[in-house]
Amino acid sequence: MEITSAISAILGAFGLSGAAGLNALLPLLAVGAADRLGWIELGPSYGWLSSTPALIVLAVIFVLDLIGDKIPALDSVLHAVGTFIAPASGAILFTAETSLSSHLPPAVAAILGAITAGSVHASRTVARPFVTGTTAGVGNPLVSTAEDGTSLVLTILALALPILAFVVVLVLMVALGWLTFRAIRWARGKRRTGTASP
């Protein structure tokens, strides 16, 4: 039973870290709120996530980011900032999720979370100019909304169905890898010809 709980926690942690790569603040806010409501139990070192000041700050920044990421050009600035925030969020979520249920060393958990969130974030950052260039910016709000929705779904799955969350993260990383490849090809073609050809 203890082994099953540990594996479930680790798989769920991958789900939360993947969600952080798409939206660094949403899973932090959701996990903090879930702990505050008693739906989950975080380790004693992560109780601050469910404190009133932390929830208020996370909620305000989340709303500002939610709006800003829908605006072309501003979204690129937010993605640059997210290069540091997403891995940090992933590290916190991974260690918080596994702190009570697994014997995974905190440093290892933090590294796994940072790599997972950072990889997802890096892929979406590379792909966003491709979306902007091929849709004249019109596609940015749609893609951003899809990322937020996927982050929310992943967060819920990570807390309720961790195995499924892990599978979704794997599929997501493959899809983002393909999109990154397409974006790099598009960028190279644009440099060679001076015109965007998706």
Side-chain angles (χ1 to χ4, degrees):
M1 190 67 177
E2 184 179 343
I3 294 177
T4 301
S5 178
I7 293 174
S8 179
I10 291 171
L11 294 179
F14 273 111
L16 289 173
S17 297
L22 294 171
N23 186 314
L25 299 166
L26 192 154
L28 282 174
L29 181 60
V31 166
D35 182 59
R36 181 67 172 266
L37 295 170
W39 295 346
I40 63 171
E41 184 182 357
L42 297 176
S45 299
Y46 302 94
W48 59 270
L49 267 176
S50 58
S51 68
T52 299
L55 290 175
I56 291 175
V57 170
L58 286 172
V60 170
I61 299 176
F62 166 68
V63 171
L64 293 176
D65 178 74
L66 194 69
I67 296 171
D69 195 46
K70 309 296 185 292
I71 303 172
L74 180 57
D75 64 343
S76 297
V77 175
L78 292 174
H79 281 200
V81 175
T83 301
F84 304 97
I85 297 178
S89 175
I92 291 170
L93 289 163
F94 206 107
T95 51
E97 176 69 5
T98 59
S99 63
L100 290 180
S101 305
S102 77
H103 299 292
L104 201 64
V108 174
I111 291 171
L112 289 173
I115 290 175
T116 303
S119 298
V120 172
H121 178 78
S123 295
R124 66 189 281 256
T125 299
V126 171
R128 187 59 70 91
F130 170 69
V131 174
T132 303
T134 56
T135 66
V138 176
N140 288 39
L142 298 176
V143 172
S144 177
T145 300
E147 290 171 348
D148 295 335
T150 304
S151 179
L152 177 59
V153 170
L154 254 180
T155 299
I156 294 172
L157 288 177
L159 298 176
L161 298 167
I163 295 177
L164 184 55
F166 179 71
V167 172
V168 172
V169 168
L170 291 180
V171 172
L172 176 66
M173 294 187 81
V174 170
L176 285 173
W178 174 83
L179 190 56
T180 300
F181 172 73
R182 291 279 295 164
I184 292 173
R185 283 190 59 189
W186 171 80
R188 287 176 178 170
K190 186 178 180 182
R191 280 198 299 269
R192 283 197 304 266
T193 65
T195 59
S197 53

